[in-house]
Amino acid sequence: ILNVEQSPQSLHVQEGDSTNFTCSFPSSNFYALHWYRWETAKSPEALFVMTLNGDEKKKGRISATLNTKEGYSYLYIKGSQPEDSATYLCASLNDYKLSFGAGTTVTVRA
Amino acid sequence: DTGVSQDPRHKITKRGQNVTFRCDPISEHNRLYWYRQTLGQGPEFLTYFQNEAQLEKSRLLSDRFSAERPKGSFSTLEIQRTEQGDSAMYLCASRGGDFYNEQFFGPGTRLTVL
C-alpha cells in the first residue's frame, strides 16, 4: 500500500477567495495521479487524471499540476463558491489499483 | 445507464450477523473495484475484478469477507460474522478502457455494526 498524503486535512475559505492544497505520493513506480471530488451523500467524482511530469489540467475554476520527479500534485480552486465545498481526494495509481490520501475537506463560507 | 449503483445505501446490523452488498457497475466496464473507507481515512483497496475473475485481494480482506462477480456484470460483497470494526463505508467503482482511466464510483453502502 502506497503512502499518499494530503495537506491540509481541512480548510475554510471565504467565498470568492482562491485556495490550493497538496498531495504527495511516492515517485517510484508511478503510473498516474487521480483527483476526485466527494460531496456529502454523493459518489466520488473524478476531476483529473494526470500521468506526465509537468501536466497541468483545468476544469472550470479548478486546476491541478503534477510533479512526478518530486512526487507531489497541487489542486487549485479559483474564486471559491459554496458549491465547491467537498472533500478532495487524490490517489496514486500503482499497477491496477489506486492508493488514496485521506483527503482535504474544503468548506466555502458565503 | 446513469452510473454505478449500490444497494443498500445503509445497513445496520448486530455483531455476528452476515451482510451482503450489491454493486451494479456501468454496463460496458469490465473492471470492478471494492474499497472500504473509515472515518478520517481515504478509501482503501479491498479487491478487484476483471470481468468475472477476481485478480487481487487486499490483506485487509479477512476470511470473513468474500466477493463475487458471477457473470462479469454486478458484484456482491459478503461479510460473515460481522464485527464492530467492520463498520465503514463500502465503495464500489468500475472502469473501462485504458489502464489510466478514471474510476466511476457508486454512492457507497454505509455499514454500522452494533
Side-chain angles (χ1 to χ4, degrees):
Chain A
I1 297 177
L2 296 183
N3 190 22
V4 179
E5 297 184 350
Q6 293 187 246
S7 64
Q9 183 177 2
S10 64
L11 59 91
H12 292 77
V13 187
Q14 196 68 33
E15 183 177 0
D17 288 351
S18 297
T19 189
N20 65 84
F21 37 93
T22 307
C23 171
S24 64
F25 54 90
S27 54
S28 60
N29 297 321
F30 171 84
Y31 289 92
L33 195 285
H34 293 215
W35 280 101
Y36 291 85
R37 175 168 59 197
W38 195 0
E39 297 179 65
T40 303
K42 294 186 178 180
S43 306
E45 174 191 6
L47 288 172
F48 306 113
V49 177
M50 296 183 289
T51 58
L52 299 176
N53 184 47
D55 259 355
E56 292 187 23
K57 297 224 171 170
K58 186 176 181 181
K59 183 182 290 188
R61 294 177 292 96
I62 300 177
S63 60
T65 61
L66 179 67
N67 183 321
T68 61
K69 294 183 178 179
E70 296 181 39
Y72 66 83
S73 175
Y74 288 120
L75 192 99
Y76 300 87
I77 304 175
K78 182 178 179 181
S80 303
Q81 299 296 308
E83 59 264 31
D84 297 328
S85 296
T87 296
Y88 291 82
L89 296 165
C90 73
S92 180
L93 180 65
N94 180 21
D95 294 325
Y96 45 80
K97 57 187 179 183
L98 291 173
S99 295
F100 282 85
T104 293
T105 299
V106 175
T107 304
V108 182
R109 297 175 292 207
Chain B
D1 193 325
T2 57
V4 179
S5 61
Q6 292 186 243
D7 184 70
R9 294 289 303 272
H10 302 273
K11 179 71 177 178
I12 299 173
T13 192
K14 292 182 179 179
R15 190 174 52 190
Q17 298 295 304
N18 299 342
V19 294
T20 300
F21 310 142
R22 176 179 171 123
C23 170
D24 287 88
I26 293 173
S27 57
E28 60 266 30
H29 287 179
N30 61 349
R31 291 168 176 84
L32 185 148
Y33 304 80
W34 284 98
Y35 295 89
R36 179 172 67 189
Q37 192 241 357
T38 54
L39 193 64
Q41 302 295 320
E44 294 176 293
F45 170 82
L46 291 179
T47 191
Y48 158 62
F49 290 86
Q50 182 171 320
N51 299 311
E52 65 275 12
Q54 188 174 17
L55 297 186
E56 180 69 17
K57 289 174 60 174
S58 166
R59 61 179 182 274
L60 294 174
L61 220 62
S62 75
D63 292 343
R64 296 184 297 106
F65 288 71
S66 61
E68 294 182 341
R69 195 182 182 197
K71 296 183 179 180
S73 56
F74 72 92
S75 175
T76 58
L77 178 68
E78 181 183 14
I79 309 174
Q80 296 182 327
R81 305 180 303 282
T82 52
E83 301 173 356
Q84 287 186 324
D86 298 331
S87 296
M89 173 75 83
Y90 290 84
L91 290 164
C92 173
S94 68
R95 175 177 69 81
D98 293 337
F99 171 69
Y100 303 113
N101 280 7
E102 65 192 269
Q103 294 185 13
F104 290 80
F105 282 83
T109 295
R110 170 79 61 190
L111 173 66
T112 302
V113 182
L114 301 176

